[in-house]
Amino acid sequence: MSATQAASDEVLIGRIAQGDRLAMQVLYGRHHVRVFRFGLRLVRNEQIAEDLISEVFLDVWRQAGKFEGRSAVSTWLLAITRFKALSALRRRKDVELEDDAANAIEDPSDDPEATATKKDTSEALRKCLTALSPDHREIVDLVYYHEKSVEEAAEIVGIPENTVKTRLFYARKKLAELLKAAGVERGWP
């Protein structure tokens, strides 16, 4: 690029900063191919490179007043292009990663059969719990549903810890028998 063209680029940027659309058209005509080729080498995708041209020259239109002239206008344009290209590549990697990750994730929700089985099991468990003695049901409720420790359950009920352990042992044993009779397989070893 000649010194005259470089100087005229700076003049164009000054005019663009004042809102001169014709100056913008001239600058675009002069540099859009270079911006496209540079962007294309970075992103390796023609559509994205085309989008980069628009983004770069839109930034030039908006930021022309901030151009300080410390470098040639063409250098400034390529710096903007590089920044925009790297941003586009990051976005594209994020999108690709999201697609790959989404495809790799198993759907943790149950299928209709599993949902129905769980519902049936839950109903059977509730029925079996009501068949326990009030003392056993109380301990199972405290330990499993309210997540209290044996010590806390003993304190709440006002009985020794060993009595809680004994009631829990017999309650589990009875519950297993009731569930087996109801046709529910144990979900624990």
Side-chain angles (χ1 to χ4, degrees), residues 31-44 49 53 78 81:
H31 294 284
H32 79 281
V33 173
R34 176 180 295 142
V35 167
F36 173 78
R37 287 182 181 157
F38 183 65
L40 182 60
R41 281 194 298 275
L42 292 172
V43 297
R44 294 187 173 107
I53 293 174
L78 295 180
T81 305

Side-chain angles (χ1 to χ4, degrees), residues 19-176:
D20 187 337
R21 291 175 187 265
L22 182 60
M24 185 68 196
Q25 289 175 351
V26 171
L27 187 75
Y28 178 86
R30 194 177 286 172
H31 294 284
H32 79 281
V33 173
R34 176 180 295 142
V35 167
F36 173 78
R37 287 182 181 157
F38 183 65
L40 182 60
R41 281 194 298 275
L42 292 172
V43 297
R44 294 187 173 107
N45 180 307
E46 283 190 33
Q47 183 58 50
I48 295 174
E50 288 285 342
D51 292 344
L52 287 177
I53 293 174
S54 300
E55 290 180 34
V56 168
F57 284 98
L58 183 61
D59 266 14
V60 168
W61 180 256
R62 291 178 179 158
Q63 304 296 325
K66 296 180 181 177
F67 178 71
E68 296 175 356
R70 289 185 290 191
S71 63
V73 171
S74 60
T75 304
W76 183 56
L77 292 172
L78 295 180
I80 295 170
T81 305
R82 180 179 180 276
F83 175 78
K84 297 282 184 190
L86 293 176
S87 294
L89 287 172
R90 275 193 296 277
R91 281 192 307 270
R92 195 166 82 196
K93 282 182 184 170
D94 289 346
V95 168
E96 288 171 5
L97 178 62
E98 288 171 9
D99 290 344
D100 292 344
N103 291 333
I105 296 173
E106 265 188 58
D107 185 3
S109 61
D110 296 328
D111 60 2
E113 183 180 345
T115 303
T117 302
K118 281 185 178 179
K119 185 177 179 190
D120 293 344
T121 303
S122 178
E123 287 173 18
L125 182 58
R126 273 195 293 278
K127 281 183 183 178
C128 292
L129 282 170
T130 60
L132 293 176
S133 71
D135 288 342
H136 288 157
R137 193 171 46 243
E138 180 180 43
I139 295 301
V140 167
D141 185 53
L142 286 171
V143 172
Y144 291 107
Y145 292 102
H146 295 285
E147 300 178 348
K148 299 298 179 185
S149 68
V150 170
E151 182 181 314
E152 291 170 320
E155 189 177 318
I156 292 168
V157 178
I159 57 175
E161 287 181 36
N162 286 337
T163 305
V164 171
K165 291 177 187 176
T166 303
R167 286 183 185 175
L168 201 50
F169 173 79
Y170 286 111
R172 280 188 272 196
K173 187 175 178 180
K174 181 68 174 174
L175 197 53

